[in-house]
Amino acid sequence: MAMSGEVCVVTGATSGIGKATAAALTAQGAQVVLVCRDRGRGEAAAAELAAAGGPVPRLEVADLASMGQVRTLADRLSALERIDVLVNNAGLMAGQRRVTADGFDEVFAVNHLAPFLLTNLLLGKLAATGPARVITVTLRRAHRGPS
Ligand SMILES: NC(=O)c1ccc[n+]([C@@H]2O[C@H](COP(=O)([O-])OP(=O)(O)OC[C@H]3O[C@@H](n4cnc5c(N)ncnc54)[C@H](OP(=O)(O)O)[C@@H]3O)[C@@H](O)[C@H]2O)c1
């Protein structure tokens, strides 16, 4: 329970690394906020984590391909009492190029623009909390650029 009383936001928490990260933080006593784009999958992940014990996770629904939804998510997260850790984990690898409603390549929007915007919008809250951390999960391949 080393993180008891701390609030951790994890994006893309319905599966994979994000879900495992949320489970590990919950097991350490942190209050985890799961950011998921699909409410049903988010509720399933939250229920699974809650069943394992520790603080019951909170769910926030946002499609990070939409910069408008990133902004409204940041508004809601800013209303939290504190944010000790922000884990920008949500990401995808698309087999086929898709363009978002904002006009961005979907992978660029979700993997790069969304974490950049969300982090910047939450900087004040993170700084006000104290020694907060921002962790961004990425792909080594991203440094090579388009192939
Ligand atoms: N697995 C690897 O080998 C590996 C290696 C290096 C880096 N990474 C990075 O690690 C991170 C997690 O990867 P993973 O393997 O755990 O992948 P994953 O199991 O596919 O999980 C990706 C998560 O991101 C969410 N997501 C995708 N698009 C989203 C959107 N538009 N809005 C909100 N959430 C969205 C997914 O939600 P849904 O459930 O709704 O799809 C899911 O929860 C990614 O950033 C990835 O680039 C993975």
Side-chain angles (χ1 to χ4, degrees):
M1 292 294 153
M3 296 185 71
S4 184
E6 298 194 23
V7 175
C8 305
V9 176
V10 181
T11 70
T14 51
S15 65
I17 295 168
K19 191 170 161 191
T21 300
L25 292 168
T26 301
Q28 292 196 55
Q31 169 66 68
V32 178
V33 181
L34 311 172
V35 177
C36 306
R37 65 177 156 174
D38 179 89
R39 181 171 293 281
R41 283 197 292 277
E43 285 174 350
E48 204 179 307
L49 293 182
V56 175
R58 176 179 166 154
L59 179 62
E60 287 291 348
V61 178
D63 183 348
L64 301 178
S66 159
M67 296 308 116
Q69 291 197 34
V70 173
R71 288 182 184 280
T72 55
L73 169 69
D75 286 344
R76 297 197 300 275
L77 293 175
S78 294
L80 293 170
E81 198 179 323
R82 56 189 295 136
I83 301 179
D84 297 272
V85 182
L86 168 63
V87 184
N88 290 308
N89 162 80
L92 75 156
M93 287 207 303
Q96 201 175 342
R97 186 172 191 267
R98 286 191 295 263
V99 176
T100 67
D102 298 327
F104 297 117
D105 174 87
E106 185 188 23
V107 175
F108 183 55
V110 176
N111 295 17
H112 296 274
L113 297 180
F116 179 82
L117 181 58
L118 184 62
T119 301
N120 276 278
L121 292 171
L122 292 178
L123 277 182
K125 173 61 71 174
L126 290 158
T129 298
R133 287 178 190 236
V134 177
I135 297 158
T136 300
V137 183
T138 184
L139 276 172
R140 192 175 295 177
R141 186 175 162 185
H143 299 282
R144 293 213 305 260
S147 50

